Amino acid sequence: MNDPVTHSLELFRNGLFCSEAIVQAFNEDLQLGLDGAAVRIATVFGAGFGGAKCSCGSLTGALVVLGAVRGRTTADESVDLLFSQAAELHDTFRKRFGQVCCRWLTREQEWGAPEHHAYCERFVQGAGEILLDILKGRDEQLTTERGGEGHEDH
């Protein structure tokens, strides 16, 4: 398996928003099978909900990936595992960085400056690491849930 955390950082450094970088890298590296339209959904979460600087795009991108892996398509499917892991992702990110709000996380940065972008790499990496930790060790479960497709090497 490719390293989706490193891949996320590369995509972020090459101009994608934090949310886009995480969704695209994890989609490719974990072979989630998301099409272009699904990946493009992550764009709206960049810069904290389309520039509103609300929730960090790295966190929301990681949540999109978690939803792609654990989400449901019918009301009779359980959300227990997904909600537990989503809360774990959120709470771990908040504990690690002190907050989940983009505006707060970047409060000492000049928005749009190269230093701002470099500063945000910590959030892309952190969200990716937390997500990967949550998904790690669940290969057998992922394979079962996704019908055995493409998950044998992560």
Side-chain angles (χ1 to χ4, degrees):
M1 168 182 78
N2 294 328
D3 175 14
V5 176
T6 300
H7 190 186
S8 296
L9 282 169
E10 290 169 4
L11 293 171
F12 181 67
R13 289 174 181 148
N14 286 317
L16 288 182
F17 286 118
C18 46
S19 55
E20 296 170 320
I22 287 175
V23 172
Q24 185 169 319
F26 275 79
N27 180 50
E28 292 173 6
D29 296 342
L30 299 184
Q31 300 174 349
L32 297 179
L34 299 177
D35 66 12
V39 174
R40 286 192 302 273
I41 289 170
T43 301
V44 75
F45 297 112
F49 299 145
K53 301 178 190 166
C54 218
S55 185
C56 175
S58 297
L59 175 60
T60 55
L63 287 165
V64 168
V65 171
L66 189 58
V69 173
R70 298 270 185 251
R72 65 185 189 170
T73 56
T74 64
D76 62 338
E77 295 175 77
S78 175
V79 295
D80 293 347
L81 180 59
L82 172 62
F83 279 19
S84 171
Q85 291 179 341
E88 178 184 353
L89 177 57
H90 172 274
D91 294 349
T92 304
F93 186 94
R94 184 177 62 200
K95 183 177 181 181
R96 185 167 177 175
F97 297 113
Q99 181 58 267
V100 299
C101 173
C102 177
R103 183 178 296 113
W104 188 89
L105 292 168
T106 61
R107 68 194 180 283
E108 297 176 4
Q109 301 299 309
E110 180 185 340
W111 192 264
E115 297 80 17
H116 164 246
H117 198 262
Y119 181 82
C120 287
E121 288 182 12
R122 71 190 69 214
F123 307 123
V124 173
Q125 180 173 351
E129 289 170 349
I130 296 164
L131 174 60
L132 197 56
D133 284 346
I134 289 170
L135 295 175
K136 195 182 295 181
R138 299 187 175 122
D139 292 345
E140 185 176 303
Q141 190 172 9
L142 281 172
T143 300
T144 301
E145 289 175 5
R146 305 265 308 158
E149 301 173 19
H151 294 280
E152 62 277 352
D153 61 24
H154 62 228

